């Protein structure tokens, strides 16, 4: 008695049919795997390009409004801190950079006398030390920055930390000069 699976047609090799079906199925599986791997690789490359663009894209300058400054920011007083002459040996290997500048802090109108007393009498040495540390730790790009943004921010944070109160709203650096030896 023969079943449907055991029938043999003349001229048809059942083993050949089975192997052809297996290779077709395995060929389809390998193509599917290859497509999945290719898709995953394309996704990873796209993510890398996107992240690289995001990290390395130049920053667009922000537009300054033509409106006058709000009153809370215009009610500040300039309090001179001191003149500084500092050397930096780590910014450029094998060279010493001499930095000289005048430092002025912008503080709230009401806190100007209190801040002036703290900077001139009580905490004069600690404030000077904090400013000198910022300059000595600065990189060459920080020292050559036309706006001195990083140094100003670090000086503001250091001075406010020494005084244990947020007196300083902005730092102004004038007569800034560097000389490399």
């Amino acid at each position: 008695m023969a079943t449907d699976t055991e029938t043999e047609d003349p001229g048809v090799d059942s083993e050949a049919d089975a192997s052809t079906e297996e290779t077709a199925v395995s060929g389809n599986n390998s193509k599917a795997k290859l497509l999945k791997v290719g898709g995953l690789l394309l996704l990873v490359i796209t993510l890398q390009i996107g992240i690289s663009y995001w990290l390395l894209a130049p920053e667009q300058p922000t537009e300054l409004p033509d409106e006058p400054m709000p009153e809370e920011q215009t009610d500040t007083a300039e309090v001179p801190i001191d003149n500084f002459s500092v050397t930096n040996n780590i910014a450029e290997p094998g060279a010493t950079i001499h930095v000289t500048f005048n430092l002025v802090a912008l503080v709230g109108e009401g806190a100007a006398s209190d801040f002036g007393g703290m900077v001139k009498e009580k905490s004069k040495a600690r404030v000077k030390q904090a400013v000198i540390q910022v300059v000595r730790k600065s990189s060459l790009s920080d020292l050559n920055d036309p706006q001195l943004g990083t140094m100003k921010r670090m000086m503001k944070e250091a001075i406010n930390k020494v005084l244990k109160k947020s007196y300083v709203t902005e730092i102004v650096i004038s007569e800034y000069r560097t000389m490399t030896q």
Side-chain angles (χ1 to χ4, degrees):
M1 190 183 263
T3 61
D4 287 339
T5 57
E6 295 179 1
T7 58
E8 290 191 27
D9 291 332
V12 175
D13 188 10
S14 62
E15 290 179 14
D17 279 343
S19 67
T20 322
E21 289 175 7
E22 287 176 11
T23 54
V25 170
S26 68
N28 287 339
N29 283 343
S30 66
K31 286 182 183 179
K33 286 181 182 178
L34 186 60
L35 284 174
K36 287 180 183 178
V37 169
L40 183 62
L41 184 61
L42 184 62
L43 178 68
V44 169
I45 290 172
T46 304
L47 284 173
Q48 285 179 340
I49 290 171
I51 290 172
S52 297
Y53 177 76
W54 179 64
L55 290 175
L56 300 176
E59 293 182 23
Q60 299 296 327
T62 56
E63 296 282 329
L64 294 177
D66 293 337
E67 302 170 6
M69 301 279 278
E71 281 187 37
E72 63 189 23
Q73 292 182 356
T74 57
D75 291 342
T76 58
E78 290 186 3
V79 179
I81 294 178
D82 207 350
N83 300 327
F84 290 88
S85 181
V86 184
T87 58
N88 181 320
N89 295 320
I90 62 170
E92 191 173 339
T96 300
I97 300 175
H98 299 281
V99 182
T100 58
F101 58 95
N102 295 334
L103 187 64
V104 176
L106 295 181
V107 297
E109 209 47 61
S113 62
D114 190 27
F115 177 77
M118 294 284 284
V119 170
K120 299 292 182 189
E121 298 166 11
K122 279 186 162 181
S123 304
K124 182 177 182 177
R126 288 183 289 157
V127 168
K128 287 181 89 169
Q129 179 183 3
V131 171
I132 290 169
Q133 283 178 348
V134 168
V135 175
R136 287 190 175 163
K137 290 180 182 178
S138 296
S139 67
L140 187 59
S141 62
D142 293 341
L143 294 172
N144 290 331
D145 178 20
Q147 286 82 27
L148 301 170
T150 304
M151 285 180 46
K152 288 179 180 181
R153 180 180 51 82
M154 297 296 290
M155 286 179 192
K156 173 185 162 185
E157 291 172 2
I159 292 170
N160 284 336
K161 185 177 178 181
V162 165
L163 300 177
K164 296 181 178 115
K165 191 172 179 184
S166 295
Y167 285 110
V168 181
T169 58
E170 189 177 339
I171 292 289
V172 178
I173 298 175
S174 62
E175 299 181 29
Y176 180 81
R177 290 182 298 275
T178 60
M179 183 177 73
T180 306
Q181 283 187 328

